Amino acid sequence: MNLEQLRGFATIARVGHFTRAAEALHLSQPSLSRQISTLEHDLGTTLVNRTRGNLTLTAAGRALLPLATRMLADAESIRVEMAELAGLRRGRVRLGAPPTLCVSLVAEVLETYRATYPGIELQISEAGSRMLLEQLTGGQLDLALIVTSEHAVTEPSLTHTEVLVEQLVVADSMQHPRLGQGPVELRDLAMVPQIAFSPSYDLRAATQSAYRTLGLSPNVVIDGGEMDAVLRFVQVGLGVAIVPATALVGRSQLHGRALRSSARKDTDLAQPNLERTIGLAHRRDTPPGAAAIAMRELLLQTAGQLAQRHPQISLRS
Amino acid sequence: MNLEQLRGFATIARVGHFTRAAEALHLSQPSLSRQISTLEHDLGTTLVNRTRGNLTLTAAGRALLPLATRMLADAESIRVEMAELAGLRRGRVRLGAPPTLCVSLVAEVLETYRATYPGIELQISEAGSRMLLEQLTGGQLDLALIVTSEHAVTEPSLTHTEVLVEQLVVADSMQHPRLGQGPVELRDLAMVPQIAFSPSYDLRAATQSAYRTLGLSPNVVIDGGEMDAVLRFVQVGLGVAIVPATALVGRSQLHGRALRSSARKDTDLAQPNLERTIGLAHRRDTPPGAAAIAMRELLLQTAGQLAQRHPQISLRS
DNA sequence: CATGATGCATAGCTTACTGCTATGGAAATC
DNA sequence: GATTTCCATAGCAGTAAGCTATGCATCATG
C-alpha cells in the first residue's frame, strides 16, 4: 500500500471512471488499472465493482475511502506545513521567458507551482532573450529561461544551466495539411506558404539565418504574427510555420513535422542549425530565495517530463 | 514522500538513533539514512539535527511527527479493517512443520502473521513429514511444510507446491571449530566427532543414507538429540552436526560449512543427495480459508527473503 | 597523542517497482 | 453484426530503493 495507490483509488471513487480518473491524475489508464489491482491484492479484497457504465465501491471500498481521504489530506498538510517552515509560505518569484516557451513549459510549471505554493506571488516577464538578460542583470528578474544557442550568457554577473535542447519543426495543420509524410527538407519547404513571426522573436532570426545559409528565401504569405495567431493561421491551413518543438506540446490539431537541412550528407556547405538550446539563467552573486529554488527545481523536473514524452525535445544536464 | 520514509522518520524520532532505528525496521543503516535524506530533500527542510550522542528533531521535524504518526496509524487501520472485511478478523490456521524448519522459517513467519492478524488462532504441529501428511489427510491440519525430497506427496487428496531447496551443511562452532576453511568432503567428515539427531527426524535418515552411499560410517559421539540440544552441543565444541541450511539462520555463533560428496567429479559412484526440497502441502478438495491463504502467501514471501539472504537456500517456484 | 570504536554519509551495484505502448476481450450502441 | 467504449493484460524501460563496502568525523582510551 502506498500513497499513489490510495490517490488512485480516491480519484476513481470520485469520478467513477478508470479512464477519466487516469486523465485527472495525468496517468495512463493501464497504469491506474494496475495500481488499483495491486492495492486490491495487497489488501486482500476487491475495492471496486467493475460493472460497465457506473463503477461502484464494494463494502471494503466504502470502508477504505474515508481513511484514504484522510491520509491524503494529511500528506497535503505535511507538504504545506513543511513549505511554510522552509519559508515558502509567502514570497515572490519573478520569472522571465521567451513567448515560445510561455505557451508550454512555463504554463505547465506555473500551474503546478501555484497549486503547491499558493502563497507565493508570481510575476512573469515575456520577452526576447536579450531583453530578459538585461532584466536579470538589472535585478528585475530572479530567473529567466533564455535561448542560449542564440544569446550566450556573457555578462559576468550572470550564470546559467542548460535545461533542454529542442528541435525546430514545421507546424502543419491536421485538417488542411500542406506537407506530406516524413521529414521535410528546408529547400523543399521554401516554396510552401509560410507564416512568419514578428521580428521581435529570437525564432525569426534563427529561421532566417537557416534559410540564408542555404541561399534560399522562403515564401512568406503572412508576416509579423504573435505565437498564438501564427499557430491559429497554420491550423486553418493558411500555411506552415517553423516553430520550436515545445510550442506544439498539447496542440493536437497541429502536427510537428521534422526538419532536415539537406538529404546529401557529403555536402561541404555549412549546415544551418535546426535546434535550439534553452537555458535557465540567474544572477551569480545574489543567492536565490527558497521560492526561486523551488521554481528552478520544478522547471528542471517538468523539462525532464517534456523530454520524456516528446522525441523532439531532449534534456541537457 | 511515501509511507516508508514516514515510518523511518517516526522510528528515528522514537529511538533517537539511526542505527538502532534501522535495526528495529529490519533495514540497513545506509538505507534508512538515505530514506531520511530523500524525505528531507523532498520536503525542502532538514528534519533531524545530527549531533553525535543524542539526535534531536528540528522545528520542522517536530511539526511533522504528529502528522506522520497519524498517517501511519491510518495505514494500520486500513490493513486491519480490510482484513476484517476479508474474513481475517477471526479464524484458525493449523500449520504443520518438521522441527528443523520450526526454528527458522516458521518462527519468522508466525511472528509476522501474529502481528498482522492478531485475531487468528494459530496451531502448530511439529512432527516428521510422514506424520504431517497423515494429519493433513485426516483434516487435522490446514497446511504442512514437508520435506518433499524424502516424502513424495502420493496421496491423491493432497497437493503441494515446492517452496525452497536448501543445502545440507555442517554446523561447526565459531569458538571451538572442528573444521578448517572451505567446503568439507563427506569422506573427511566421517572421522570428525558428530552429534546425531533423534531417529524420528527425517534428517537422520537422509544423513545416514548419504554416508551409506559412500560406504562410510560416521563417528557419532552423541546420539538422539533434539534440534536445539544438538546445536548447543555443537556450539560448545563437542562435535559437528549435519543440518539443513535454514536451521542455522540467525545463529551467529555457529557456522555452516558447505558439504561436498566427492572432490573427484569423474567418479561413477552414485552421489549422495546433499540438499533437500521443502514443499507446502494442503488438501486438494477443501478450499483453504482466508486465514490459510494469507499464511501460505506469507510463507512463500518469507521463503523468498530467506533465499535472498542465504546462498545455501534457493527458491523453487 | 595516537588509536580504535562508534555512528552517520556516500558510492556503486542489483533488484523491484511503476510508468509507458500495444493489444485483447467484453459490453453497449448503431 | 460492425463499431465503439472501457477495463485488463503483456512486455519493456527508466527510476527508485535495497544491499555491501567504505569514508569521515567524533569520542573514548591506553
Side-chain angles (χ1 to χ4, degrees), chain B:
Chain B
M1 173 172 48
N2 64 40
L3 291 172
E4 296 312 306
Q5 291 165 352
L6 293 178
R7 198 187 316 281
F9 169 74
T11 307
I12 286 178
R14 184 163 51 80
V15 307
H17 216 275
F18 272 71
T19 310
R20 310 279 161 70
E23 279 168 17
L25 291 164
H26 298 290
L27 243 129
S28 73
Q29 172 265 316
S31 295
L32 180 60
S33 192
R34 194 166 61 177
Q35 247 183 19
I36 299 303
S37 71
T38 304
L39 180 61
E40 288 180 329
H41 180 259
D42 179 41
L43 295 178
T45 341
T46 59
L47 300 168
V48 181
N49 293 315
R50 278 89 159 166
T51 41
R52 186 181 173 78
N54 60 338
L55 294 182
T56 58
L57 298 184
T58 64
R62 285 193 297 276
L64 173 59
L65 188 54
L67 281 165
T69 307
R70 190 167 93 166
M71 286 183 69
L72 293 170
D74 279 347
E76 184 56 29
S77 301
I78 287 176
R79 291 222 168 277
V80 171
E81 285 200 25
M82 295 301 106
E84 287 186 6
L85 288 166
L88 284 167
R89 180 166 43 169
R90 62 202 66 190
R92 185 186 57 172
V93 189
R94 298 163 303 174
L95 174 66
T100 43
L101 284 173
C102 283
V103 298
S104 56
L105 177 63
V106 172
E108 196 164 333
V109 164
L110 291 189
E111 181 190 354
T112 309
Y113 194 90
R114 163 54 40 129
T116 314
Y117 313 113
I120 304 287
E121 185 186 342
L122 290 172
Q123 288 181 16
I124 299 300
S125 173
E126 195 171 342
S129 295
R130 186 182 309 280
M131 176 72 81
L132 291 174
L133 288 171
E134 281 171 19
Q135 291 180 352
L136 205 57
T137 314
Q140 285 119 43
L141 287 179
D142 300 308
L143 293 166
L145 286 164
I146 52 173
V147 182
T148 49
S149 47
E150 295 281 318
H151 298 272
V153 178
T154 52
E155 174 66 32
S157 68
L158 300 183
T159 181
H160 77 290
T161 35
E162 298 195 329
V163 176
L164 53 82
V165 179
E166 53 177 344
Q167 304 297 315
L168 296 185
V169 300
V170 186
D172 192 10
S173 174
M174 285 295 219
Q175 281 106 28
H176 313 284
R178 291 288 188 162
L179 302 171
Q181 296 292 338
V184 182
E185 279 192 47
L186 211 51
R187 125 178 26 244
D188 299 330
L189 192 67
M191 296 171 286
V192 181
Q194 317 245 330
I195 322 285
F197 286 95
S198 150
S200 67
Y201 280 51
D202 302 326
L203 185 55
R204 181 179 169 118
T207 308
Q208 280 190 335
S209 94
Y211 277 118
R212 212 169 16 236
T213 306
L214 294 177
L216 300 168
S217 69
N219 170 23
V220 175
V221 293
I222 302 179
D223 198 346
E226 299 285 332
M227 176 58 73
D228 266 337
V230 168
L231 293 180
R232 185 86 196 148
F233 296 157
V234 170
Q235 191 179 317
V236 299
L238 290 173
V240 300
I242 296 182
V243 299
T246 49
L248 295 183
V249 169
R251 305 213 179 227
S252 54
Q253 287 157 320
L254 292 175
H255 187 262
R257 208 163 292 291
L259 203 50
R260 231 176 7 180
S261 53
S262 168
R264 284 165 301 182
K265 286 175 185 158
D266 54 339
T267 177
D268 279 344
L269 284 173
Q271 294 297 312
N273 188 14
L274 295 181
E275 63 183 31
R276 65 180 202 171
T277 307
I278 304 296
L280 182 63
H282 57 90
R283 262 170 301 167
R284 190 190 297 277
D285 52 354
T286 325
I293 291 177
M295 174 65 81
R296 187 190 139 93
E297 292 285 316
L298 185 59
L299 268 165
L300 292 172
Q301 182 192 324
T302 310
Q305 290 171 4
L306 270 184
Q308 211 166 21
R309 285 200 292 265
H310 301 281
Q312 290 160 337
I313 306 173
S314 58
L315 272 189
R316 181 65 157 280
S317 61

Side-chain angles (χ1 to χ4, degrees), chain A residues 17-20 29-30 33-34 50 52 55:
Chain A
H17 214 275
F18 272 71
T19 310
R20 309 281 160 71
Q29 171 266 316
S33 193
R34 193 167 59 180
R50 277 89 160 167
R52 187 183 173 77
L55 294 183

Side-chain angles (χ1 to χ4, degrees), chain A residues 100 169-173 176 178-179 189-199 201 203-205 207-208 211 218-244 254:
Chain A
T100 43
V169 300
V170 186
D172 193 11
S173 174
H176 314 284
R178 292 287 186 161
L179 302 171
L189 192 68
M191 295 171 287
V192 182
Q194 316 246 329
I195 322 285
F197 286 95
S198 150
Y201 281 51
L203 183 56
R204 180 178 170 120
T207 310
Q208 281 189 334
Y211 277 119
N219 170 22
V220 174
V221 294
I222 301 179
D223 197 348
E226 299 285 333
M227 175 59 72
D228 266 338
V230 168
L231 292 180
R232 185 85 197 150
F233 296 156
V234 170
Q235 192 180 315
V236 298
L238 289 174
V240 300
I242 295 182
V243 299
L254 292 176

